Amino acid sequence: MIHCLLNDEEVCTEAGQTDLTLTWLREQRGLTGTKYGCGDGGCGACAVLLGHRDPRGAIRYRVVDSCLLPLGALREAHLVTIEGLSQTCAGEQDALGPIQAALVEEGAVQCGFCTPGLVVALTAYLLNGRLDCDEEVLEAVDGNLCRCTGYMGIKRAVRRIRRELVGLPNEPVARRDALIAQRVLPPWFAGAAQRLAALPASAPRPEHACIIAGGTDLFGRPDPGLERHPIWLLERDASLSGVTLEQGRCRIGAGTTIEELLESDALASALPHVQGFLSQVSATPIRDRATLGGNLVNASPIADLCICLLALDAEVTLAGPSGERALPLADLYLGYKRLAMAEDEMITAVAFPLQPGLIRFNFEKVAHRKTLDIAAVNSAMRLDLEGSTIQRAILSAGGVGPTPRRLSATSDWLTGRLVDAETVGEAARLAMAEATPIDDVHGSATYKRTLLGRLVQAHFLALAPNADELRIDGDTP
Ligand SMILES: Cc1cc2nc3c(=O)[nH]c(=O)nc-3n(C[C@H](O)[C@H](O)[C@H](O)COP(=O)(O)OP(=O)(O)OC[C@H]3O[C@@H](n4cnc5c(N)ncnc54)[C@H](O)[C@@H]3O)c2cc1C
Ligand code: FES
Ligand code: FES
């Protein structure tokens, strides 16, 4: 039995935990404003707001794609659909809230299929965003595709929305109340936290349960066998979330979402440019659900977090019936989607070593699109330097073999070398020789090898203190 708050209504359903929320909304609840576009997280037409109580008792709302959201994730949560948001103007026929008005008046609506998703994504932004620059509000709709408008109207509308609402308070409850006053949110948002607290608590973890974290991989290609197993949603276990810096290591709970990593001050202090790297992973509605553990266990050869953590020399903590063990991340991958972990083990955390000064770390990704796309080739490098001499280099790459890979031969060769144009050129050539890409939809093997060479050069341009002097020849490798 799943108890949740759906818009302004307390709901209890016996539907299956692995049923998709989008199907349930449209077919069982008659809420057809949430649209079915692609069914695999790629368009944002099905976006809804999902709110959970934070430790202080306030609700934190995130925009998520309901086509990838298992119904079990609604337990003790507040689900808000476009129908709920349209109750801001109850009693005023045809009245529009500020988001809808801006979209209509700035020419951002043609067929209207993408509009509910845009309204939901912009509402999440107004609830959580800093509201201090136009770039940020454009990123808030990075998970929404529109097939009609050509985006100029959407860009005008989202900039206008930010400017109209720029003075909102930062404190979450004050922000919520201001948005109710501005008719962005309906009045019942004010009582939602109290109503959530009164819902029955979740059942304990069942034995031999299949783990569902964010579900963004699992529900992209749902396994029909999944519904026969008991399932356990990691988000119910707060001990698996969060970033801590302790004893010279950065430790990240496996259930931490990518958006939580983006928001983590601790992680930003350990890796100064990490936000720029993490924002290249998919788009907001996916990052709001996708977890670190899921990224590692899915074992995609181009998993972005995995590539970063391989170069950071990370270690995973595995927990199973016989206790806990640590394993270098590089040893987790045995072959294509084959892992050195037992079926009854799970990853509870990942940790990587810190160092007293700045960690020189860089991540590069080449994909067909800037957002909502997985890499053709991605690569990360950690470089420890003494002056211009390389003390240690760790280079990793994805899309160039059956698993996410550490390029050990190239990394070892770099140790003790001076950072100069010759070293960079040779490192690029070695990495290309070490790679074993295949032809696929992302490009030919030759293309991917060439890309990898360029990404190795890009690492040095980003990390070497003498980058200006490297004068890397555009024709090498
Ligand atoms: C539209 C779209 C775009 C995407 N873009 C990117 C991208 O740009 N870059 C990228 O790297 N990925 C991308 N992905 C893939 C996906 O979002 C990530 O791999 C994500 O991190 C998976 O995490 P999850 O929590 O959703 O995993 P889930 O789908 O919940 O789980 C995946 C697998 O891992 C297992 N699992 C999860 N957590 C654990 C754990 N702690 N211990 C043991 N087993 C566990 C599950 O049982 C399941 O088998 C994209 C996916 C979609 C749908
Ligand atoms: S239907 Fe396209 S993201 Fe869900
Ligand atoms: S208005 Fe038609 S898809 Fe955006």
Side-chain angles (χ1 to χ4, degrees):
M1 196 78 88
I2 298 163
H3 297 268
C4 70
L5 196 56
L6 171 60
N7 296 324
D8 190 24
E9 189 187 348
E10 273 146 54
V11 168
C12 173
T13 172
E14 287 184 348
Q17 289 205 77
T18 55
D19 289 2
L20 290 175
T21 300
L22 175 61
T23 316
W24 178 72
L25 283 173
R26 293 179 59 84
E27 295 177 9
Q28 306 292 318
R29 306 298 309 182
L31 296 173
T32 52
T34 306
K35 302 297 182 202
Y36 180 96
C38 62
D40 63 10
C43 74
C46 66
V48 290
L49 287 182
L50 186 67
H52 286 105
R53 273 159 47 90
D54 68 16
R56 290 161 306 156
I59 301 183
R60 174 72 198 246
Y61 292 93
R62 306 259 182 196
V63 55
V64 303
D65 291 324
S66 60
C67 66
L68 297 178
L69 187 68
L71 219 48
L74 304 191
R75 243 178 242 278
E76 298 173 64
H78 188 192
L79 181 71
V80 183
T81 67
I82 189 67
E83 288 84 357
L85 292 177
S86 68
Q87 290 164 13
T88 49
C89 307
E92 299 168 55
Q93 213 179 356
D94 297 332
L96 298 176
I99 297 179
Q100 290 94 327
L103 288 169
V104 170
E105 288 161 21
E106 298 296 340
V109 181
Q110 284 185 31
C111 79
F113 199 80
C114 66
T115 311
L118 281 168
V119 173
V120 170
L122 287 164
T123 306
Y125 167 73
L126 291 177
L127 275 160
N128 304 317
R130 291 194 310 271
L131 308 174
D132 54 8
C133 70
D134 281 345
E135 270 316 301
E136 190 200 48
V137 65
L138 287 170
E139 281 165 18
V141 291
D142 59 359
N144 299 81
L145 296 190
C146 173
R147 285 288 173 242
C148 305
T149 62
Y151 294 105
M152 293 316 289
I154 293 175
K155 285 184 177 174
R156 279 195 301 276
V158 298
R159 289 184 181 124
R160 170 174 147 182
I161 290 162
R162 184 188 77 78
R163 284 175 197 154
E164 281 179 1
L165 294 162
V166 76
L168 291 174
N170 284 329
E171 196 281 317
V173 174
R175 169 82 64 103
R176 177 202 67 198
D177 292 343
L179 289 172
I180 292 172
Q182 298 270 8
R183 300 193 320 172
V184 172
L185 300 178
W188 42 257
F189 259 76
Q194 238 176 344
R195 291 169 75 188
L196 270 196
L199 292 179
S202 302
R205 177 178 180 168
E207 274 191 23
H208 309 297
C210 169
I211 291 172
I212 298 181
T216 60
D217 276 321
L218 267 180
F219 290 94
R221 295 167 297 279
D223 170 3
L226 200 58
E227 62 201 40
R228 291 196 295 274
H229 294 280
I231 64 157
W232 176 246
L233 282 125
L234 282 198
E235 63 201 318
R236 298 207 193 114
D237 192 339
S239 70
L240 294 175
S241 284
V243 181
T244 45
L245 306 182
E246 53 192 19
Q247 296 167 353
R249 282 151 56 98
C250 175
R251 182 190 179 281
I252 308 173
T256 312
T257 66
I258 301 175
E259 201 61 21
E260 285 166 347
L261 291 177
L262 253 168
E263 292 164 2
S264 164
D265 292 337
L267 188 62
S269 71
L271 288 176
H273 303 294
V274 71
Q275 280 126 345
F277 305 141
L278 290 171
S279 60
Q280 295 179 46
V281 184
S282 194
T284 311
I286 299 293
R287 291 196 301 264
D288 274 345
R289 294 283 307 160
T291 64
L292 169 58
N295 200 265
L296 303 187
V297 175
N298 181 44
S300 158
I302 38 75
D304 289 325
L305 299 191
C306 192
I307 296 302
C308 290
L309 286 159
L310 281 170
L312 287 166
D313 206 14
E315 186 178 85
V316 293
T317 305
L318 295 164
S322 48
E324 272 193 1
R325 66 185 174 111
L327 184 74
L329 178 60
D331 294 345
L332 183 64
Y333 301 104
L334 302 175
Y336 180 67
K337 302 256 179 185
R338 278 198 309 120
L339 298 176
M341 62 188 272
E343 256 185 35
D344 54 5
E345 280 186 311
M346 67 175 287
I347 297 181
T348 53
V350 183
F352 63 86
L354 300 170
Q355 64 182 40
L358 180 80
I359 297 183
R360 288 180 193 275
F361 171 78
N362 187 48
F363 171 69
E364 300 283 340
K365 170 173 176 176
V366 179
H368 292 300
R369 288 187 303 181
K370 191 167 166 249
T371 62
L372 271 176
D373 207 359
I374 52 174
V377 176
N378 51 6
S379 174
M381 181 183 265
R382 175 175 172 163
L383 201 59
D384 296 348
L385 294 174
E386 181 80 48
S388 296
T389 306
I390 299 170
Q391 297 295 302
R392 186 171 73 146
I394 309 181
L395 176 66
S396 61
V400 293
T403 65
R405 292 186 59 185
R406 198 150 135 169
L407 298 181
S408 303
T410 312
S411 304
D412 292 347
W413 181 85
L414 280 164
T415 304
R417 309 267 162 191
L418 273 181
V419 179
D420 57 22
E422 203 182 319
T423 299
V424 176
E426 186 55 20
R429 272 186 287 276
L430 283 174
M432 289 166 68
E434 208 177 344
T436 53
I438 53 167
D439 298 340
D440 65 16
V441 289
H442 299 290
S444 67
T446 311
Y447 167 70
K448 291 185 204 172
R449 236 190 217 104
T450 308
L451 274 185
L452 177 63
R454 293 281 186 258
L455 298 190
V456 171
Q457 293 176 336
H459 289 316
F460 282 99
L461 290 175
L463 297 176
N466 57 341
D468 291 350
E469 298 159 22
L470 289 179
R471 286 199 296 276
I472 291 169
D473 178 354
D475 293 332
T476 29

mmCIF file of all heavy atoms in Angstrom, residues 42-58:
data_model
loop_
_atom_site.group_PDB
_atom_site.id
_atom_site.type_symbol
_atom_site.label_atom_id
_atom_site.label_comp_id
_atom_site.label_asym_id
_atom_site.label_seq_id
_atom_site.Cartn_x
_atom_site.Cartn_y
_atom_site.Cartn_z
ATOM 1 N N GLY A 42 13.844 11.511 -21.904
ATOM 2 C CA GLY A 42 14.542 12.355 -22.870
ATOM 3 C C GLY A 42 13.823 13.611 -23.307
ATOM 4 O O GLY A 42 14.340 14.331 -24.166
ATOM 5 N N CYS A 43 12.629 13.943 -22.754
ATOM 6 C CA CYS A 43 11.933 15.115 -23.296
ATOM 7 C C CYS A 43 11.315 16.039 -22.249
ATOM 8 O O CYS A 43 11.050 17.198 -22.532
ATOM 9 C CB CYS A 43 10.858 14.680 -24.283
ATOM 10 S SG CYS A 43 9.392 13.961 -23.504
ATOM 11 N N GLY A 44 11.030 15.545 -21.053
ATOM 12 C CA GLY A 44 10.485 16.404 -19.994
ATOM 13 C C GLY A 44 8.989 16.667 -20.095
ATOM 14 O O GLY A 44 8.441 17.408 -19.271
ATOM 15 N N ALA A 45 8.294 16.056 -21.072
ATOM 16 C CA ALA A 45 6.848 16.299 -21.201
ATOM 17 C C ALA A 45 6.081 15.735 -20.001
ATOM 18 O O ALA A 45 4.972 16.167 -19.707
ATOM 19 C CB ALA A 45 6.326 15.661 -22.489
ATOM 20 N N CYS A 46 6.690 14.762 -19.322
ATOM 21 C CA CYS A 46 6.009 14.078 -18.211
ATOM 22 C C CYS A 46 6.445 14.620 -16.856
ATOM 23 O O CYS A 46 6.227 13.970 -15.832
ATOM 24 C CB CYS A 46 6.339 12.594 -18.279
ATOM 25 S SG CYS A 46 8.098 12.305 -17.976
ATOM 26 N N ALA A 47 7.079 15.799 -16.836
ATOM 27 C CA ALA A 47 7.673 16.300 -15.583
ATOM 28 C C ALA A 47 6.612 16.551 -14.507
ATOM 29 O O ALA A 47 5.517 17.048 -14.791
ATOM 30 C CB ALA A 47 8.449 17.580 -15.856
ATOM 31 N N VAL A 48 6.959 16.181 -13.293
ATOM 32 C CA VAL A 48 6.119 16.449 -12.114
ATOM 33 C C VAL A 48 7.038 16.958 -11.007
ATOM 34 O O VAL A 48 8.255 16.814 -11.089
ATOM 35 C CB VAL A 48 5.406 15.161 -11.622
ATOM 36 C CG1 VAL A 48 4.332 14.713 -12.595
ATOM 37 C CG2 VAL A 48 6.409 14.030 -11.379
ATOM 38 N N LEU A 49 6.429 17.529 -9.973
ATOM 39 C CA LEU A 49 7.216 17.905 -8.795
ATOM 40 C C LEU A 49 7.100 16.787 -7.775
ATOM 41 O O LEU A 49 5.988 16.316 -7.499
ATOM 42 C CB LEU A 49 6.666 19.173 -8.144
ATOM 43 C CG LEU A 49 6.879 20.514 -8.820
ATOM 44 C CD1 LEU A 49 6.271 21.620 -7.955
ATOM 45 C CD2 LEU A 49 8.364 20.774 -9.029
ATOM 46 N N LEU A 50 8.235 16.372 -7.224
ATOM 47 C CA LEU A 50 8.226 15.356 -6.173
ATOM 48 C C LEU A 50 8.850 15.985 -4.934
ATOM 49 O O LEU A 50 9.993 16.454 -4.977
ATOM 50 C CB LEU A 50 9.032 14.130 -6.619
ATOM 51 C CG LEU A 50 8.982 12.935 -5.674
ATOM 52 C CD1 LEU A 50 7.575 12.336 -5.625
ATOM 53 C CD2 LEU A 50 9.976 11.856 -6.109
ATOM 54 N N GLY A 51 8.084 16.000 -3.834
ATOM 55 C CA GLY A 51 8.575 16.649 -2.612
ATOM 56 C C GLY A 51 8.723 15.658 -1.476
ATOM 57 O O GLY A 51 7.854 14.818 -1.255
ATOM 58 N N HIS A 52 9.861 15.733 -0.784
ATOM 59 C CA HIS A 52 10.080 14.923 0.419
ATOM 60 C C HIS A 52 10.407 15.864 1.566
ATOM 61 O O HIS A 52 11.038 16.903 1.359
ATOM 62 C CB HIS A 52 11.254 13.957 0.226
ATOM 63 C CG HIS A 52 10.934 12.800 -0.655
ATOM 64 N ND1 HIS A 52 11.385 12.697 -1.942
ATOM 65 C CD2 HIS A 52 10.186 11.689 -0.431
ATOM 66 C CE1 HIS A 52 10.935 11.571 -2.481
ATOM 67 N NE2 HIS A 52 10.202 10.946 -1.586
ATOM 68 N N ARG A 53 10.031 15.456 2.776
ATOM 69 C CA ARG A 53 10.364 16.276 3.945
ATOM 70 C C ARG A 53 11.864 16.225 4.206
ATOM 71 O O ARG A 53 12.470 15.161 4.153
ATOM 72 C CB ARG A 53 9.609 15.763 5.176
ATOM 73 C CG ARG A 53 8.204 16.385 5.298
ATOM 74 C CD ARG A 53 7.293 15.564 6.155
ATOM 75 N NE ARG A 53 7.902 15.145 7.389
ATOM 76 C CZ ARG A 53 7.868 15.835 8.539
ATOM 77 N NH1 ARG A 53 7.260 16.991 8.601
ATOM 78 N NH2 ARG A 53 8.429 15.350 9.623
ATOM 79 N N ASP A 54 12.475 17.394 4.459
ATOM 80 C CA ASP A 54 13.893 17.415 4.803
ATOM 81 C C ASP A 54 14.025 17.281 6.322
ATOM 82 O O ASP A 54 13.006 17.236 7.028
ATOM 83 C CB ASP A 54 14.573 18.673 4.232
ATOM 84 C CG ASP A 54 14.101 19.954 4.897
ATOM 85 O OD1 ASP A 54 13.490 19.878 5.985
ATOM 86 O OD2 ASP A 54 14.343 21.032 4.337
ATOM 87 N N PRO A 55 15.262 17.177 6.855
ATOM 88 C CA PRO A 55 15.418 16.943 8.299
ATOM 89 C C PRO A 55 14.753 18.021 9.162
ATOM 90 O O PRO A 55 14.384 17.772 10.303
ATOM 91 C CB PRO A 55 16.938 16.949 8.502
ATOM 92 C CG PRO A 55 17.506 16.627 7.160
ATOM 93 C CD PRO A 55 16.545 17.153 6.153
ATOM 94 N N ARG A 56 14.567 19.238 8.598
ATOM 95 C CA ARG A 56 13.921 20.292 9.401
ATOM 96 C C ARG A 56 12.399 20.250 9.291
ATOM 97 O O ARG A 56 11.694 21.068 9.851
ATOM 98 C CB ARG A 56 14.418 21.669 8.960
ATOM 99 C CG ARG A 56 15.870 21.941 9.337
ATOM 100 C CD ARG A 56 16.429 23.059 8.506
ATOM 101 N NE ARG A 56 16.235 22.738 7.090
ATOM 102 C CZ ARG A 56 16.185 23.625 6.119
ATOM 103 N NH1 ARG A 56 16.304 24.888 6.381
ATOM 104 N NH2 ARG A 56 16.013 23.249 4.870
ATOM 105 N N GLY A 57 11.894 19.316 8.496
ATOM 106 C CA GLY A 57 10.437 19.168 8.395
ATOM 107 C C GLY A 57 9.829 19.922 7.228
ATOM 108 O O GLY A 57 8.648 19.766 6.926
ATOM 109 N N ALA A 58 10.617 20.770 6.538
ATOM 110 C CA ALA A 58 10.090 21.473 5.356
ATOM 111 C C ALA A 58 10.165 20.519 4.159
ATOM 112 O O ALA A 58 10.929 19.550 4.177
ATOM 113 C CB ALA A 58 10.925 22.716 5.090
#
